[in-house]
Amino acid sequence: MKLGLSTQGLLQRLANGEALSGEALAEQLGVTRAAIWKQIAALRALGLPIEARTGSGYRLPWAIELLDAQAITTALPAASPGPAQAPVHVHWELDSTQNELTRTMADVPDLTAVLAETQSAGRGRRGRGWQCPPGMGIMLSIVKRFESGPAALTGLSIAMGVCAAQAIQSLSTAPGLRLKWPNDLVAGGEKLAGILIEVDGEYDGPCIARVGLGLNLRLRPELRAQLDQPATDLASQCGGLLPDRNQLAARLIAQLRAGLLRFEREGLAAFADDFSRLDCLLDQPLTLHGAQGAQHGKGRGIDASGALRVEINGQTVAVYSDKVSVRRPSQ
């Protein structure tokens, strides 16, 4: 990464969590202390809790690891799709990784991955925003072309959720990690990560899917309070012991890539059993909020198309994500 008088360059200097005075930073970067103060303010505006203490200087409350495309590529398993065919691109700032793939997908190979340290217009399901300060999460998107039309991709978010959960479990000790239909990863009933699938193409094919993932590594109380649903972070679930960030990014990319190829060959059925083991709604009381008002029932897993099966008054109905929202009674 190129350092200099920028928020990125200053964060690189502070990333190890050690205190540095404004004078020392100004000398290292060849700028004035006023310029350092300005960039500190910019990093705080992005959500980073940079402390300032008299006699010691500026510091982060914990070390962070910035994303590095070479480190991620090197950490990809040997059996995963080769980096020459499926590159990894890391950006300091984007409007969103999904938008970046929209701009470039005509020119990039299948399974290209895009990551960003910070996003100005990150989004989740139903257009909800996804906020994450630099170094405190993983935001990535992967592109995949399919010969079939969008209808054949029903259930893709479920398959990708399974892959993301398996990647996280392989490198962390988050004991309560579960999947909440149709596209959330939760721990202790709180949202840890989300999957966003966006598809472009003709009804009968071919089509292009952009798979987005947002994962909270550290979630400050101030940001947590702004969210419209209970949320958690991986640090809380792992007792503060986070896995190497670039290795985790590589594992997520490898699992999602492999899952996309498997979904292309075998469809949702290949992921159904794993989803069932992780399904936090299975046999749980649910409230459906839709055009018919609130309806109460119990979760009964998913059907072959990925629709949620809910038992209401002794009858099982199929629920689709674009028609209703699903809440457990406590939510």
Side-chain angles (χ1 to χ4, degrees):
M1 291 183 179
K2 182 180 179 180
L3 303 183
L5 182 57
S6 65
T7 51
Q8 180 182 6
L10 183 55
L11 182 56
Q12 180 71 59
R13 299 285 175 166
L14 296 171
N16 62 8
E18 297 179 1
L20 282 172
S21 68
E23 181 179 2
L25 287 167
E27 182 178 347
Q28 290 176 17
L29 295 171
V31 297
T32 65
R33 292 187 64 179
I36 294 296
W37 180 88
K38 182 178 180 180
Q39 295 298 340
I40 290 289
L43 287 172
R44 286 172 172 163
L46 290 174
L48 282 164
I50 298 177
E51 303 168 353
R53 297 183 180 179
T54 303
S56 59
Y58 300 109
R59 67 180 294 272
L60 289 164
W62 13 251
I64 64 173
E65 179 186 9
L66 295 181
L67 296 172
D68 182 271
Q70 184 58 51
I72 294 170
T73 301
T74 300
L76 287 171
S80 66
Q85 292 75 37
V88 174
H89 300 293
V90 172
H91 299 264
W92 166 250
E93 182 176 11
L94 289 172
D95 50 356
S96 78
T97 55
Q98 292 287 90
N99 287 350
E100 178 66 9
L101 279 181
T102 299
R103 291 186 288 266
T104 62
M105 62 186 179
D107 303 314
V108 299
D110 256 10
L111 304 181
T112 292
V114 173
L115 302 95
E117 282 289 359
T118 182
Q119 297 184 140
S120 60
R123 62 187 183 277
R125 181 171 168 251
R126 296 187 177 179
R128 296 188 180 101
W130 186 280
Q131 302 178 50
C132 184
M136 295 171 65
I138 292 178
M139 297 168 289
L140 68 86
S141 295
I142 298 175
V143 65
K144 176 72 178 75
R145 296 168 178 84
F146 292 89
E147 290 300 319
S148 56
L153 303 190
T154 302
L156 181 59
S157 64
I158 293 171
M160 295 296 95
V162 168
C163 293
Q166 291 172 339
I168 295 168
Q169 289 175 326
S170 71
L171 289 179
S172 73
T173 56
L177 183 60
R178 297 290 185 270
L179 293 174
K180 179 176 177 289
W181 181 93
N183 54 4
D184 286 348
L185 284 76
V186 299
E190 299 179 322
K191 184 170 180 176
L192 175 65
I195 302 288
L196 176 64
I197 308 291
E198 296 179 312
V199 181
D200 299 292
E202 300 297 328
Y203 177 79
D204 56 354
C207 67
I208 302 178
R210 286 163 286 134
V211 178
L213 168 71
L215 168 65
N216 299 321
L217 297 182
R218 296 188 186 274
L219 193 60
R220 297 179 63 202
E222 302 94 308
L223 183 55
R224 195 187 304 245
Q226 298 173 19
L227 301 176
D228 61 358
Q229 60 182 302
T232 187
D233 57 33
L234 192 59
S236 300
Q237 301 302 317
C238 298
L241 300 176
L242 285 171
D244 178 285
R245 188 166 174 240
N246 283 303
Q247 287 190 8
L248 178 55
R251 191 65 58 87
L252 286 164
I253 291 169
Q255 288 285 117
L256 292 174
R257 284 175 170 175
L260 283 164
L261 294 174
R262 189 179 185 191
F263 187 92
E264 183 178 39
R265 296 190 308 267
E266 305 174 43
L268 179 60
F271 304 87
D273 288 344
D274 288 327
F275 177 80
S276 181
R277 284 189 286 270
L278 293 166
D279 183 3
C280 75
L281 301 182
L282 184 63
D283 297 328
Q284 297 298 309
L286 306 177
T287 301
L288 310 181
H289 297 277
Q292 297 179 345
Q295 294 180 288
H296 306 286
K298 278 194 175 183
R300 297 304 188 198
I302 58 174
D303 66 15
S305 69
L308 179 67
R309 300 174 71 247
V310 181
E311 183 181 337
I312 301 175
N313 297 326
Q315 294 190 346
T316 301
V317 299
V319 177
Y320 298 89
S321 61
D322 61 341
K323 295 182 180 179
V324 299
S325 60
V326 178
R327 289 287 185 271
R328 297 171 72 171
S330 61
Q331 295 179 309

